[in-house]
Amino acid sequence: MLTSLTKLIQNYHWFEILVEMAVIWCVVYLIFRFLQGTRGAGVIKGVVVLLVVLTLLIRVAGSAGDVLGRLDFIYNRFLGLLAILLIVVFQPELRQAMIRLGHTRMFRLGRAPQTERVIEAVSDAVLFLSKNQFGALIAVEREVRLGGLSDVGVELDAKISARLLETIFWPNSPLHDLGVIVRDDRIVAASVQFPLIEEGAIMGTPGSRHRAAAGVSLESDCVVVIVSEETGAISIAERGQITFDISRDQIRDEIARRLAVTIEPPTVTDIEPPTTSETPSERNVA
């Protein structure tokens, strides 16, 4: 076997071996990068290790002669069947990989960036909802539109404002229980059911809001802001990953950073959201 391996190496130039190894390493790295954080990551690692070992044994031993001819025949047929099985088993992961590939800058169509109005409205509403421990789920679109989801929600098509968001998520409001979709500077739909990410994909025991935020952010490039109804904690989901417990002082800058928008610092005329559980309409009362 050692002699066969030596002959196999001698048939290639060292530069060709380095190039091939670099290409293989890049492909393996990209596969693991796409599968990171999914249940398929552990499975694919085991499959890769098994294939590498079997391939080395079959090719090295087979190069000495037709000793393992039958095994080599079965091995080749097994590879074809395995390719089909992997496509079926890892269909969700492959779909996510294609979505992420479409999110790269070279494939974007250059839509207008989010305006400061969206940043201000979302951050002010989130601060109010967080201080009063009102649950919220706000998805801000970027390049990929959520048309399929917004169609099954309640259509609003209203100019975004902090008070409108607060009213939507006010307890016992007919629209407060699910999510809101923001497109450009408008709220296009409310009471939208977002797809839940699979169990085990997020560390800990996230609630339904966090699972829905991770699920919709995994299938698009939107930024999702979550307010916990139990604790008032603020989180942001992007590309299937959730950043928990964001400080109220940092939420405005964090949303702007995620949306790649440069905004001016607040002026002295800005009003701090109230700390009491008053309705949005009571803010104008002196």
Side-chain angles (χ1 to χ4, degrees), residues 151-219:
D151 291 341
V152 298
V154 177
E155 183 180 359
L156 294 182
D157 193 22
K159 183 169 288 188
I160 190 171
S161 68
R163 296 185 182 180
L164 179 55
L165 289 172
E166 295 160 9
T167 303
I168 291 174
F169 291 110
W170 188 263
N172 299 324
S173 167
L175 304 178
H176 85 285
D177 203 24
L178 298 175
V180 161
I181 296 178
V182 177
R183 179 179 302 157
D184 297 330
D185 63 343
R186 305 187 70 82
I187 301 176
V188 296
S191 190
V192 181
Q193 177 66 62
F194 294 153
L196 300 179
I197 198 170
E198 60 186 9
E199 295 184 3
I202 306 177
M203 298 297 294
T205 56
S208 57
R209 278 193 179 89
H210 293 81
R211 290 184 59 200
V216 70
S217 68
L218 191 61
E219 296 189 1

Side-chain angles (χ1 to χ4, degrees), residues 26-184:
C26 290
V27 172
V28 172
Y29 172 77
L30 290 176
I31 291 175
F32 284 133
R33 181 73 178 272
F34 282 134
L35 293 177
Q36 187 177 9
T38 65
R39 291 184 299 178
V43 178
I44 200 66
K45 289 179 182 178
V47 172
V48 169
V49 172
L50 179 62
L51 286 179
V52 169
V53 174
L54 289 178
T55 301
L56 289 176
L57 291 176
I58 294 295
R59 297 308 179 192
V60 173
S63 61
D66 197 21
V67 178
L68 300 177
R70 296 181 181 85
L71 291 180
D72 185 61
F73 175 81
I74 297 175
Y75 171 76
N76 291 330
R77 299 300 180 273
F78 171 74
L79 286 181
L81 179 61
L82 181 62
I84 299 176
L85 292 177
L86 288 178
I87 293 176
V88 175
V89 173
F90 294 103
Q91 185 271 337
E93 285 77 10
L94 292 174
R95 182 169 178 266
Q96 295 167 12
M98 295 300 102
I99 292 175
R100 292 186 184 183
L101 182 62
H103 292 170
T104 56
R105 293 184 179 273
M106 66 179 64
F107 296 111
R108 292 182 180 177
L109 301 178
R111 288 177 55 196
Q114 302 294 331
T115 63
E116 185 175 350
R117 178 186 181 90
V118 175
I119 308 298
E120 296 294 339
V122 174
S123 59
D124 289 348
V126 166
L127 286 173
F128 173 78
L129 297 168
S130 173
K131 290 183 178 181
N132 293 280
Q133 295 188 11
F134 298 155
L137 187 60
I138 306 172
V140 183
E141 290 182 349
R142 288 195 287 189
E143 302 296 332
V144 180
R145 296 201 171 191
L146 301 172
L149 295 177
S150 61
D151 291 341
V152 298
V154 177
E155 183 180 359
L156 294 182
D157 193 22
K159 183 169 288 188
I160 190 171
S161 68
R163 296 185 182 180
L164 179 55
L165 289 172
E166 295 160 9
T167 303
I168 291 174
F169 291 110
W170 188 263
N172 299 324
S173 167
L175 304 178
H176 85 285
D177 203 24
L178 298 175
V180 161
I181 296 178
V182 177
R183 179 179 302 157
D184 297 330

